Amino acid sequence: MAVLVDLIHGCCPARTGASPLEESDSRVFMLCGESSREKSGFSDSFLTPRKSAQVLDSSSIAECLYRLKQTVDQLELSSIRVLTSPRGQQVLLQYQELLFTDVYTFHYEVTLVDSLTCMGCRSSASTDSPGRRVSEDVSAFVQQLPALRGDLRVLKSTLVPDCFGHGFSTRAGGVSCIPTLSSLNLFKSSKRRDPEALVMENRRRLALHAGFHPLPLHTLKVNHASDVWVLGKAEPESYDAMVTNRSGLVLTAPGADCMPILFADPVKKVIGAAHAGWKGTLMGVAVATVDAMVADFGCRACDIVVAVGPTVGVCCFTLDREQALNFASIHPDCVPDPEPARPHVDIRLANRVLLQRAGVLPEHIHDNAVSDRPRVTPCTSCPPEDFFSHVRDGLNFGTQWGFLWIKDTEECAGPAASQSGRHEGC
C-alpha cells in the first residue's frame, strides 16, 4: 500500500505524528508542494523515522500526484491511503478523477480541521469550488509533458479525396507512459492505468497534428457486432459503425488488431467509419456501413472509396479451427492453413471480398493488397514500436484510431468523382 500525507491542505506534521511513517509495509509520500513546504514548517528531519518516504514538492499539485502515480505504477501498487483534511479530500477527489482510474483504490482518512490543522493552514484554506482550478492545473501540466517514442505520425490514404480529412494514428508522439499503452493511446478505460487526463491530451495532440482541432468527435461504442448509427437518428446503446453527411464532425473508429475502416463518397459527400474485428467481419459490419450510406443518403456502392487502417495480419492472427473455417466459407484464401487446431486467418482479405460483393469496386479499396500507394494497412502485431496490439500485448493494450471528417470548403476530387462525377456501369 502507498500512504499519501497531504500537507498542502492542512495535514500538518506537528499534528499528525509519525505513525504513517512507521508502517513497514507501506510506501509513504508527503504531498507538500513547493510553497507549502516552507509555510507549514516542514523539514527533512520529519522523514528520519522512514528514509524511504518520498517528498512531493513540485509547484503543481498535478505534477506531484503524477509523480506519485508513476512510482505506484512502477511498484505495481493499486491501494492508496490518504491522510488529509475535509478540504483536502474535496480537492484530491477532483485530481483523482483526472489522473487515476478505477484500477486504483483510494482510502481517505479525514481528520476534522480543528484537530488536525494549525492556525496558519486554517486561515489560508480556500472555500471556493476546486473543480475549475484543478482542471486548469492538470491541463497545463499534461500539455507540457514531453512526447514519448518519437514524433507523432499519421498514415493517410491517397485514395481518399481532398474534400475529406482523414488518417490513421500510430503509436508515437503521445504522453502515456505505461509500457503497453505508451505513448499515443487514445482509449480511456476504468480498467486500465491510463487516466482521462493523459488520454485526452493524446487526443488533443493528434487533433492538432491532423488538423481537426477543435472539431467535435464521435467515437464508436464498440460491441463487436454490425449495428450502424446514422447520425441524426436515435443513438443506439452500442454500434460498430456510423455514417453521416454532416460536415465539421469527426468520426473515429478504434483499432488494435481489429481494423478501423473509413468510407467516403465524394459524389454525395457522405462518410462512414467502422470497427471490424473477426466477429464484426463475420457479421458483415463493413457491408452494413455501405448499405446504410446507400439507404439513408442515396449513395451508390461503386462511388464509395474505402481505406482499411492498420490491423493484425494473417502472419500473426489465429483462431480456433471451428471459428476459422467460417472465414474459409467467405473465401478459401482467408484461411491458408486450415488443418491445424488454430489456423491463421486473413480478416483483411475477408473484408475486401465482402465489400466487393456489396458493390465496392476493387480499385476503390485501399488495403494491404494495394502495392502502388503508400501503405495504410500494416500488421499491428509485427512492429511493436509503431502500433498497439491486443494479440501481442495482452489485455492491457493501447488503441489507435482511424478518423474521418467532411471538410467545409474544399472541392471533391478523387478516383470516384472523375469526369461526370459518377462511375458508370455500377
Side-chain angles (χ1 to χ4, degrees):
M1 174 182 286
V3 177
L4 178 66
V5 182
D6 178 15
L7 305 180
I8 291 180
H9 300 102
C11 190
C12 295
R15 304 279 181 174
T16 305
S19 59
L21 302 180
E22 295 172 349
E23 298 178 3
S24 59
D25 61 342
S26 298
R27 180 68 178 266
V28 179
F29 299 84
M30 314 299 294
L31 179 62
C32 60
E34 194 174 68
S35 59
S36 299
R37 182 166 183 154
E38 295 180 2
K39 185 184 296 183
S40 64
F42 174 78
S43 67
D44 290 334
S45 62
F46 183 61
L47 296 179
T48 54
R50 182 65 179 271
K51 294 181 180 179
S52 63
Q54 182 174 339
V55 178
L56 305 172
D57 58 355
S58 302
S59 58
S60 160
I61 297 178
E63 181 174 356
C64 291
L65 295 177
Y66 187 68
R67 285 169 52 194
L68 163 68
K69 180 185 182 301
Q70 287 184 306
T71 305
V72 166
D73 289 338
Q74 291 168 2
L75 297 172
E76 297 185 346
L77 299 175
S78 58
S79 183
I80 303 172
R81 174 187 171 202
V82 183
L83 307 181
T84 186
S85 66
R87 172 64 179 173
Q89 182 181 26
Q90 182 186 15
V91 174
L92 293 179
L93 282 170
Q94 299 282 338
Y95 281 101
Q96 178 187 329
E97 183 176 353
L98 295 174
L99 292 172
F100 296 86
T101 68
D102 290 349
V103 170
Y104 308 84
T105 303
F106 284 77
H107 306 275
Y108 286 89
E109 297 184 14
V110 178
T111 306
L112 294 177
V113 174
D114 287 340
S115 63
L116 182 63
T117 54
C118 64
M119 184 62 70
C121 294
R122 286 203 306 271
S123 63
S124 63
S126 173
T127 58
D128 64 332
S129 174
R132 181 175 179 181
R133 181 162 41 84
V134 169
S135 180
E136 290 174 350
D137 181 30
V138 172
S139 179
F141 169 68
V142 297
Q143 287 186 31
Q144 56 82 40
L145 287 173
L148 303 176
R149 291 181 174 262
D151 295 331
L152 199 152
R153 184 169 64 96
V154 167
L155 306 181
K156 296 184 68 175
S157 170
T158 54
L159 185 62
V160 178
D162 288 339
C163 56
F164 305 103
H166 83 287
F168 299 100
S169 69
T170 57
R171 182 169 188 169
V175 297
S176 301
C177 60
I178 301 294
T180 56
L181 303 175
S182 173
S183 65
L184 195 71
N185 172 43
L186 299 170
F187 179 69
K188 57 181 179 179
S189 168
S190 62
K191 299 179 181 179
R192 302 180 190 175
R193 288 180 178 255
D194 213 11
E196 178 179 353
L198 297 190
V199 174
M200 297 307 292
E201 175 60 13
N202 287 340
R203 293 182 180 185
R204 188 189 71 87
R205 295 189 183 195
L206 174 64
L208 288 172
H209 178 89
F212 60 82
H213 179 80
L215 297 177
L217 302 176
H218 286 286
T219 302
L220 295 172
K221 297 181 179 179
V222 173
N223 192 36
H224 301 286
S226 59
D227 293 323
V228 181
W229 178 32
V230 179
L231 275 72
K233 295 184 177 181
E235 182 178 2
E237 288 187 8
S238 62
Y239 43 93
D240 285 81
M242 51 188 163
V243 297
T244 188
N245 63 351
R246 295 169 58 188
S247 62
L249 299 177
V250 182
L251 308 186
T252 68
D257 295 334
C258 297
M259 60 180 67
I261 310 178
L262 305 179
F263 303 77
D265 180 353
V267 177
K268 293 291 187 177
K269 280 200 173 182
V270 176
I271 57 174
H275 167 273
W278 70 268
K279 292 181 181 179
T281 297
L282 289 176
M283 295 183 71
V285 65
V287 173
T289 307
V290 171
D291 289 345
M293 295 173 72
V294 171
D296 286 86
F297 299 104
C299 300
R300 298 199 306 173
C302 60
D303 292 329
I304 298 172
V305 297
V306 180
V308 179
T311 183
V312 67
V314 65
C315 51
C316 299
F317 186 57
T318 63
L319 285 173
D320 290 339
R321 190 167 183 273
E322 183 178 350
Q323 297 167 335
L325 292 181
N326 291 320
F327 285 86
S329 66
I330 296 174
H331 193 285
D333 291 347
C334 291
V335 187
D337 55 345
E339 297 304 323
R342 287 189 62 86
H344 288 80
V345 174
D346 192 341
I347 61 173
R348 299 155 158 176
L349 176 59
N351 277 280
R352 170 176 274 273
V353 170
L354 293 172
L355 284 167
Q356 289 179 196
R357 289 177 184 171
V360 178
L361 300 178
E363 63 269 26
H364 286 179
I365 303 173
H366 190 175
D367 59 8
N368 63 301
V370 176
S371 59
D372 59 346
R373 296 179 182 274
R375 285 202 314 160
V376 294
T377 322
C379 175
T380 47
S381 182
C382 284
E385 67 279 4
D386 291 332
F387 301 103
F388 299 110
S389 170
H390 182 193
V391 168
R392 184 189 64 235
D393 298 331
L395 291 176
N396 197 34
F397 59 93
T399 301
Q400 289 96 214
W401 265 1
F403 53 91
L404 177 67
W405 75 98
I406 303 170
K407 295 181 180 179
D408 285 321
T409 58
E410 294 187 31
E411 293 296 322
C412 273
S418 59
Q419 296 180 357
S420 65
R422 297 181 68 86
H423 194 287
E424 300 301 327
C426 289

